[in-house]
């Protein structure tokens, strides 16, 4: 089985929130808990983390820390293709 590849969540990396949720589904709960409509949004593949932070008036560093925590938490559970971000559904 292939090892999980880490996904860096860096400032201005250009990764869309849609791609992030596809690759790391464990981050979806972070968006939902914050009342963000990114999950299921038709433009989530076009918005970066920095852009959604402006839209929702969030501190980008706080959101990134929450996302990193969600990714670390799943790393503590048994590794499965789903937990590792698995194959993209697309």
């Amino acid at each position: 089985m292939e090892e999980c590849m880490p996904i860096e969540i860096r400032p201005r990396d250009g990764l869309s929130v849609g791609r992030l949720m596809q690759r790391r589904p464990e981050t979806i709960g972070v968006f939902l808990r914050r009342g963000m409509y990114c999950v299921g949004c038709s433009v989530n593949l076009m918005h970066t983390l920095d852009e959604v932070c402006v839209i929702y008036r969030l501190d980008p560093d706080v959101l990134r820390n929450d996302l990193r925590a969600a990714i670390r938490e799943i790393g503590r559970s048994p590794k499965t293709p789903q937990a590792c971000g698995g194959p993209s559904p697309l």
Side-chain angles (χ1 to χ4, degrees):
M1 181 182 288
E2 194 174 305
E3 275 299 310
C4 291
M5 295 298 293
I7 292 182
E8 293 289 324
I9 302 173
R10 298 177 305 240
R12 296 180 259 325
D13 62 2
L15 180 67
S16 72
V17 294
R19 284 280 179 234
L20 174 62
M21 290 185 286
Q22 286 175 352
R23 293 179 184 176
R24 301 308 298 248
E26 62 271 26
T27 63
I28 291 172
V30 173
F31 293 100
L32 293 175
R33 281 190 298 280
R34 291 186 162 278
M36 301 171 78
Y37 299 108
C38 299
V39 180
C41 177
S42 61
V43 295
N44 68 16
L45 291 172
M46 293 181 261
H47 286 272
T48 64
L49 287 173
D50 287 330
E51 290 168 338
V52 299
C53 285
V54 169
I55 292 166
Y56 286 97
R57 297 182 178 154
L58 298 173
D59 181 329
D61 293 328
V62 171
L63 180 60
R64 281 186 179 82
N65 287 338
D66 289 350
L67 293 167
R68 286 183 187 112
I71 291 169
R72 274 193 310 270
E73 184 63 32
I74 200 75
R76 293 183 186 128
S77 65
K79 290 191 172 27
T80 64
Q82 182 78 18
C84 294
S88 174
L90 299 178

